[in-house]
Amino acid sequence: QVQFVESGGDLVQPGGSLNLSCVASGSIFSIYKIGWYRQAPGKQHEYVASITMYNFQEYADFVEGRFTISRDENKNTLHLQMTSLTPEDTAIYYCKELNIGREPLNSYWGQGTTVTVSS
């Protein structure tokens, strides 16, 4: 299984936007589903979005059309474009390889990238 290095997190005001990225340690070409999870302070990890090798995208209900996930297999990179951010989006965001559902294939959580939404 590949590992991911996330980047792009920052402090942003409510209503702002961010683009998160993660680079895989190997090829993502044959990975069926990869996605983003997040962990808010004091809370458990939660699913955010995922994309399959056939470019089928899924999102958590709380996304409500604000985020867009994409994968670049030439660069082994996963992206998450986030708009209309709210303080509730404050969390550490992680890339994960997922099963055919929405569950991570392993329990390893890298460093992630921190998103803070605050005025």
Side-chain angles (χ1 to χ4, degrees):
Q1 295 175 3
V2 297
Q3 295 185 359
F4 298 92
V5 177
E6 301 86 352
S7 64
D10 205 346
L11 170 63
V12 62
Q13 292 187 343
S17 301
L18 278 177
N19 293 322
L20 305 184
S21 299
C22 67
V23 180
S25 60
S27 174
I28 64 171
F29 178 79
S30 62
I31 296 178
Y32 175 69
K33 182 183 286 189
I34 48 180
W36 290 91
Y37 261 70
R38 72 184 187 183
Q39 186 177 31
K43 295 186 177 181
Q44 294 188 344
H45 294 95
E46 66 176 346
Y47 169 85
V48 177
S50 60
I51 185 169
T52 71
M53 59 172 42
Y54 305 109
N55 206 37
F56 179 74
Q57 302 161 31
E58 292 181 287
Y59 298 92
D61 289 343
F62 63 77
V63 170
E64 298 179 322
R66 300 178 297 130
F67 300 173
T68 302
I69 189 171
S70 61
R71 60 194 279 171
D72 184 340
E73 294 174 353
N74 291 325
K75 298 181 178 179
N76 296 317
T77 301
L78 184 69
H79 300 282
L80 186 69
Q81 294 179 296
M82 304 191 297
T83 64
S84 302
L85 288 164
T86 73
E88 289 68 37
D89 296 314
T90 295
I92 302 174
Y93 285 71
Y94 303 88
C95 283
K96 297 293 291 182
E97 184 176 352
L98 307 179
N99 60 17
I100 61 173
R102 296 182 173 185
E103 298 299 317
L105 287 183
N106 61 57
S107 58
Y108 172 76
W109 299 93
Q111 290 191 339
T113 188
T114 300
V115 173
T116 304
V117 185
S118 175
S119 55

